[in-house]
Amino acid sequence: MDNRPIGVFDSGLGGLTGVRELRKRLPSENIVYFGDTGRVPYGSRSHETILQYARQDIAFLLSRNVKCIMAACGTVSSTYPPEEAAKLPVPYMGVVSSAARRAARATRSRKIGVIGTSATIRSHSYELTLRRLVPGAEITAKACPLFVSLVENGYVDGAPPQMQQVTRLVIGQYLEEVRAAGIDTLILGCTHYPLLAGMIGEYMGPAVTLIDPGRAAADDLDQLLAGKGLRASRERGRTRFYVSDVPDSFIHTADLFLGEYRGGTAEQICIDQY
């Protein structure tokens, strides 16, 4: 047993969908979440800048004595080198490999779609991983940068109809090519995107399986902790939130991502110190 917290980070709010899944699967675990709200978004940054930010985010979590780290950010997961992750003092997991493995199990036609930030799609990380897992796969990838802004401004599943109408128009613009490719599995390659899953699913149709990267990573992290004997022994854990910008707006919007697991306070830190 190991009662140290799980460390989770993202460029902003999106990784909270991963926290929600961890809370659901591992209620006894403490979680430390860092959202880099002062430097969001990562998806439009250069490769070098994303690496710098990821290293600082990881350094902060390590300073909180975490027992493992989950990069709940498709952009970082697509960029952070595996050989560097292997040298960290605690186990590290990104969402790309977890989501790709789940998509490989789900597809029947080997036609798979991937949507994500510009940096995630530009990295080809999902495509490279999927081609190893599914020989002969036909992959259709599409950057959907506006989805993050829509989610963080509340234009999500369950929003008022006029707000959903805006989101549906953007979905139609972005996903027309993906739907026309005849895919049967779609990876929501950014942890913001599950909050649009209802509208995306309606547009893609019931024959298309949607893959939530946060849920896939939470499942894999559950197995990792069990395999390494790192599960906590307490009855119920808690989540501490840290951000790099003023926390007021974070807490207000965080409830949208966390659903029934909402609640708590956030503390602002200076990430440039790490």
Side-chain angles (χ1 to χ4, degrees):
M1 296 295 180
D2 190 328
N3 287 327
R4 290 178 297 165
I6 296 169
V8 183
F9 75 96
D10 183 43
S11 60
L13 291 153
L16 293 172
T17 58
V19 171
R20 183 183 64 203
E21 296 298 331
L22 287 171
R23 285 263 65 94
K24 187 184 303 182
R25 290 193 63 88
L26 299 164
S28 64
E29 299 289 345
N30 279 340
I31 298 171
V32 173
Y33 180 84
F34 173 66
D36 197 1
T37 52
R39 303 187 295 198
V40 67
Y42 284 7
S44 57
R45 309 282 187 173
S46 69
H47 179 87
E48 292 73 19
T49 299
I50 295 166
L51 271 181
Q52 175 195 337
Y53 290 176
R55 287 165 180 155
Q56 290 177 311
D57 299 347
I58 290 168
F60 167 71
L61 290 177
L62 291 174
S63 77
R64 309 307 298 177
N65 192 34
V66 298
K67 61 184 174 184
C68 61
I69 292 174
M70 183 171 111
C73 174
T75 299
V76 169
S77 300
S78 300
T79 307
Y80 192 64
E83 58 273 15
E84 191 168 325
K87 295 177 183 177
L88 294 173
V90 298
Y92 167 93
M93 178 178 296
V95 294
V96 168
S97 57
S98 296
R101 283 194 296 270
R102 180 163 288 195
R105 293 194 297 268
T107 186
R108 302 172 304 280
S109 66
R110 295 190 294 184
K111 293 182 178 181
I112 302 170
V114 182
I115 56 175
T117 65
S118 298
T120 294
I121 299 304
R122 190 169 59 242
S123 74
H124 303 291
S125 57
Y126 273 110
E127 294 177 65
L128 294 170
T129 305
L130 286 167
R131 291 192 193 285
R132 288 196 298 268
L133 295 170
V134 187
E138 296 179 31
I139 300 165
T140 304
K142 179 70 175 179
C144 303
L146 286 178
F147 282 178
V148 170
S149 297
L150 286 169
V151 168
E152 295 201 351
N153 285 281
Y155 287 70
V156 297
D157 294 338
Q162 62 271 28
M163 296 174 73
Q164 290 193 48
Q165 184 178 4
V166 173
T167 305
R168 291 179 196 278
L169 286 171
V170 178
I171 287 171
Q173 287 288 317
Y174 278 151
L175 300 189
E176 181 180 8
E177 173 190 348
V178 180
R179 186 171 68 176
I183 64 168
D184 70 356
T185 305
L186 177 63
I187 297 175
L188 307 179
C190 171
T191 44
H192 282 72
Y193 296 1
L195 292 180
L196 306 176
M199 287 183 279
I200 291 173
E202 286 177 17
Y203 181 80
M204 295 302 299
V208 177
T209 300
L210 304 184
I211 304 298
D212 178 337
R215 182 175 301 165
D219 289 346
D220 285 353
L221 190 61
D222 183 10
Q223 295 178 31
L224 182 149
L225 294 179
K228 292 183 175 292
L230 294 176
R231 286 232 182 105
S233 59
R234 66 179 67 80
E235 289 187 7
R236 184 159 295 277
R238 57 178 294 195
T239 304
R240 296 184 64 90
F241 302 102
Y242 296 88
V243 292
S244 55
D245 200 1
V246 290
D248 297 350
S249 60
F250 174 88
I251 288 299
H252 175 74
T253 313
D255 289 352
L256 177 69
F257 287 78
L258 291 168
E260 66 268 37
Y261 301 100
R262 63 186 178 274
T265 59
E267 179 181 336
Q268 183 177 356
I269 60 127
C270 180
I271 192 62
D272 287 332
Q273 294 178 355
Y274 295 89

